[in-house]
Amino acid sequence: MTDFKRMIQELHGGSHILHEPLLNKGTAFPENERDAFGLHGLLPPRVITIEEQKQRIIKNYNSKQNDLEKYIYLMGLHDRNETLFYRTVIDEIEEMMPIIYTPTVGEACQKFGYLFRRPRGLYVSYQDHGKIKAVLKNWQNKEVDVIVVTDGERILGLGDQGANGMGIPIGKLSLYTACAGIDPSQTLPIMLDVGTENQELLNDPNYLGVKHNRIRGEDYDDFIDEFMEAVKDVFPDALIQFEDFANRNASRLLRKYRHNYRMMNDDIQGTAAIGVAGILGSQKITGRKLEDEKLLFYGAGEAGIGIGDLYSHALSKQGIPIEQARERCWYVDSRGLVVKNRENVSDDKKPFAHDFIHLTDLTEIIREVKPTALIGVSGQTQTFTQEVIETMASLNDRPIIFALSNPTSKSECTAEQAYHWTNGKCVFASGSPFDPVIINGTTLIPGQGNNAYVFPGVGLGIVATKSTRVTDEMFLLAAKKLADSLSEADLKHDRIFPPLTTIRNVSLKIACAVALEAKREELTEIDFGEQAEEMIEKLMYTPEYQEYL
Ligand code: NAD
């Protein structure tokens, strides 16, 4: 919990409180606090409630001309008054999540050098090599629960954004607070600035990061090693979430650190859980079982392999040998179907390379492999053509079609296309939101496979228990809890993820499952027992003004 009394003492009382976003109440400061902190005259005289403040925020927000303007406005509020920011975002989560996170945050990262107003989080650059611990110690609050860190090399679908990638850890941590009640005073966004290969940024006089090419190889690895040790030392309780590292580093660093640090990678593990949750949710509509599915992934990168690994793990938990489980996952990459005899099959794809002919045309692959589910994680727009989708529908009563590539412009197909081309038979989800579609008089609500359904709840479970590790089993449980949270009303609309308005409750359920699992795996001493839900809910931050006197 935020230690308001300590913070106020550190500010030596007085009007500085208006400039501390975690403490500021703006026009909602009551008379007695205005007296005590000497705020009379510094604020308009009428004291208003947080609800009234929120209404004014929404009015201003709605008057903005475009999404980037809305983002800038909300970030301004974040920097002035965090309680009001979170009150507004939580109450308006469906409208505001796409603004504070993907897709708008991508554009914000691209323009970060121009949008920069007030620093937030820590920048650790390669120049700090050898003294990273000292840099981390500059962060005032020593009680950090969650760190989100990026090196900016693969920002959403936008590639290398260098130090401008800082928008991502900031956005993700806002979601930790909004979706799972992680105390915002105990979150820390970190940008590891090791340079950039983005020539446009290197040439841009307004670019705020270090101006050299990316540090690679052993030097990079030593730098990240030093960072991890420094975090363990300075913030021993913190969960470290890796975010938007390039493919070449993401899986490697996850494998390297996951057994020695309290860390996770959302792009791999969070995506895996959301993919498996989508399949589990679909089965409530199709009536199929997990072992009845045959998955064809269009794209064999971090996201696709992550989902296939977790799906295979889920089947192996049911007693199916892991090799047989993997036989139910098929992959297509930029060179076509991933098969045994093909050249250029990387180590992470090898377990899924089956003894089969090498084909390249997607429709032909579908005809031969006969999948029940087609999962797009390729970043290639409009690749699920009418022919591809109609072929899926000719082979299955209820085909699963997931077009998970982000942002919307990269989606393999739209919701409207998938539903129309299958006459409403497919179960559809996408990475970015699509509007509902009416087919034969039924309103179908496309699922958005948003990782925000998963990582905040997993994080809350880890923070609540101080679990020393984050395991695959926890992500599988998160997927199951998410699918279990679907209501009858959701299923009537073929919805496979619940409405975002229920997300805090979903996160709580996930956190309880993670807490139990941490205990079962002997990763924590904390045992909430029967009271888990009540105890963890009490730990969740709610944006309400506290009385300071
Ligand atoms: P990645 O770069 O690691 O992998 C992309 C894969 O697509 C590679 O295997 C590549 O070979 C393959 N590919 C490229 N062109 C192809 C083509 N023409 N045909 C077939 N395959 C092709 O990227 P990633 O991290 O796996 O992410 C992939 C996509 O998934 C991105 O668009 C990302 O936004 C999206 N994603 C969505 C979610 C979500 O919805 N929750 C989560 C993570 C990633």
Side-chain angles (χ1 to χ4, degrees):
M1 286 285 285
T2 310
D3 189 348
F4 293 108
K5 296 258 152 64
R6 179 185 55 77
M7 290 180 77
I8 290 168
Q9 264 171 14
E10 280 172 9
L11 284 172
H12 307 297
S15 59
H16 306 298
I17 203 166
L18 292 175
H19 305 290
E20 171 47 65
L22 285 163
L23 298 175
N24 186 21
K25 304 179 186 177
T27 47
F29 271 111
E31 290 295 340
N32 62 337
E33 290 177 1
R34 292 180 185 216
D35 290 340
F37 301 129
L39 304 181
H40 286 291
L42 302 182
L43 290 165
R46 197 161 74 81
V47 177
I48 65 170
T49 64
I50 194 166
E51 187 53 36
E52 288 171 304
Q53 286 182 313
K54 190 186 87 183
Q55 292 310 327
R56 262 189 332 164
I57 295 295
I58 292 172
K59 215 169 180 182
N60 277 323
Y61 171 93
N62 286 334
S63 73
K64 301 295 166 199
Q65 296 299 308
N66 57 50
D67 289 350
L68 190 62
E69 288 295 322
K70 288 178 177 171
Y71 173 88
I72 295 167
Y73 178 67
L74 286 180
M75 289 305 115
L77 176 62
H78 196 195
D79 287 343
R80 284 196 312 279
N81 180 338
E82 294 215 15
T83 316
L84 182 55
F85 170 78
Y86 283 113
R87 170 83 285 141
T88 312
V89 168
I90 289 171
D91 288 354
E92 308 298 324
I93 191 86
E94 287 194 318
E95 159 65 32
M96 293 184 178
M97 192 187 282
I99 303 295
I100 62 169
Y101 204 66
T102 181
T104 312
V105 73
E107 192 185 352
C109 284
Q110 289 174 307
K111 297 179 177 153
F112 202 76
Y114 300 89
L115 302 183
F116 184 84
R117 273 127 171 106
R118 191 178 201 267
R120 182 173 275 274
L122 279 174
Y123 291 82
V124 182
S125 77
Y126 193 69
Q127 294 153 2
D128 300 317
H129 201 356
K131 43 184 190 278
I132 296 180
K133 206 185 286 180
V135 175
L136 297 188
K137 283 184 176 167
N138 288 340
W139 189 251
Q140 264 190 335
N141 190 0
K142 299 296 169 255
E143 285 169 35
V144 171
D145 285 337
V146 185
I147 288 172
V148 175
V149 61
T150 187
D151 71 356
E153 190 168 8
R154 201 228 56 176
I155 295 300
L156 306 168
L158 304 167
D160 189 346
Q161 300 298 317
N164 290 358
M166 184 52 136
I168 295 295
I170 293 172
K172 276 260 148 123
L173 285 166
S174 304
L175 298 186
Y176 262 108
T177 299
C179 304
I182 298 290
D183 188 332
S185 71
Q186 286 164 219
T187 62
L188 172 56
I190 299 184
M191 169 72 225
L192 297 177
D193 187 354
V194 292
T196 179
E197 308 293 329
N198 185 329
Q199 209 51 47
E200 220 175 290
L201 293 179
L202 291 173
N203 295 336
D204 182 352
N206 291 304
Y207 178 57
L208 298 169
V210 292
K211 287 211 168 189
H212 55 67
N213 284 332
R214 281 187 177 271
I215 304 296
R216 300 275 186 208
E218 227 173 275
D219 292 339
Y220 174 85
D221 284 2
D222 288 349
F223 179 73
I224 306 287
D225 279 351
E226 184 192 340
F227 168 74
M228 293 301 281
E229 269 311 291
V231 170
K232 203 173 188 176
D233 217 45
V234 181
F235 307 116
D237 290 337
L239 161 69
I240 311 169
Q241 175 169 316
F242 276 55
E243 195 65 40
D244 286 1
F245 282 70
N247 220 337
R248 72 176 77 169
N249 292 320
S251 330
R252 196 174 65 79
L253 295 178
L254 177 62
R255 278 198 301 275
K256 182 171 180 184
Y257 296 127
R258 64 177 306 174
H259 300 297
N260 302 313
Y261 295 89
R262 185 185 288 115
M263 66 85 67
M264 64 195 231
N265 180 310
D266 179 54
D267 304 306
I268 300 171
Q269 296 164 292
T271 303
I274 200 77
V276 172
I279 297 164
L280 291 169
S282 307
Q283 291 170 344
K284 293 182 190 289
I285 296 164
T286 63
R288 293 198 292 263
K289 298 202 184 81
L290 211 52
E291 61 273 25
D292 297 333
E293 303 292 353
K294 192 187 240 191
L295 315 180
L296 178 64
F297 292 90
Y298 190 69
E302 278 175 41
I305 299 287
I307 301 172
D309 274 337
L310 194 64
Y311 169 81
S312 308
H313 175 70
L315 281 187
S316 73
K317 292 279 297 175
Q318 298 179 6
I320 296 174
I322 191 78
E323 294 75 22
Q324 279 180 33
R326 288 184 184 131
E327 279 169 16
R328 309 207 65 76
C329 300
W330 293 71
Y331 285 86
V332 181
D333 64 12
S334 53
R335 295 185 168 90
L337 191 62
V338 175
V339 290
K340 236 181 202 154
N341 293 333
R342 211 189 81 178
E343 282 179 2
N344 296 313
V345 174
S346 58
D347 286 348
D348 50 346
K349 293 178 204 169
K350 276 189 182 140
F352 300 104
H354 308 304
D355 215 349
F356 209 74
I357 36 165
H358 179 228
L359 301 168
T360 51
D361 176 69
L362 183 56
T363 310
E364 201 183 348
I365 291 171
I366 293 170
R367 280 202 199 104
E368 294 300 324
V369 173
K370 299 189 175 44
T372 56
L374 177 63
I375 301 175
V377 272
S378 63
Q380 304 300 310
T381 185
Q382 288 296 310
T383 38
F384 292 177
T385 58
Q386 185 163 356
E387 190 189 20
V388 162
I389 288 183
E390 283 177 354
T391 308
M392 283 299 293
S394 71
L395 292 165
N396 300 281
D397 276 349
R398 302 295 316 256
I400 294 174
I401 309 278
F402 291 171
L404 295 181
S405 291
N406 287 317
T408 320
S409 59
K410 298 263 170 94
S411 196
E412 284 81 2
C413 66
T414 65
E416 184 137 8
Q417 290 169 331
Y419 287 134
H420 275 291
W421 292 337
T422 58
N423 196 24
K425 287 202 315 180
C426 75
V427 182
F428 179 82
S430 53
S432 299
F434 282 110
D435 288 336
V437 177
I438 299 175
I439 302 265
N440 305 329
T442 306
T443 303
L444 301 171
I445 304 181
Q448 190 201 349
N450 193 327
N451 290 23
Y453 283 114
V454 170
F455 71 82
V458 171
L460 177 61
I462 299 294
V463 167
T465 55
K466 299 199 191 315
S467 171
T468 52
R469 303 287 173 265
V470 192
T471 65
D472 285 341
E473 198 52 37
M474 293 173 180
F475 283 98
L476 182 54
L477 286 166
K480 288 182 177 162
K481 288 286 159 195
L482 177 54
D484 286 347
S485 66
L486 286 163
S487 67
E488 283 303 318
D490 295 333
L491 296 174
K492 256 191 206 152
H493 297 286
D494 279 7
R495 193 171 188 151
I496 56 166
F497 297 109
L500 279 174
T501 45
T502 64
I503 201 162
R504 278 171 77 94
N505 196 35
V506 173
S507 296
L508 177 58
K509 300 266 189 256
I510 291 176
C512 292
V514 168
L516 257 172
E517 180 59 19
K519 186 70 197 150
R520 195 190 68 77
E521 293 189 52
E522 298 180 358
L523 300 170
T524 180
E525 306 268 284
I526 299 173
D527 186 359
F528 291 117
E530 302 277 290
Q531 267 82 51
E533 192 158 327
E534 197 185 323
M535 304 286 279
I536 296 177
E537 192 171 14
K538 272 195 196 142
L539 298 175
M540 289 171 77
Y541 163 89
T542 313
E544 283 161 359
Y545 291 134
Q546 305 295 313
E547 289 178 9
Y548 296 149
L549 298 172

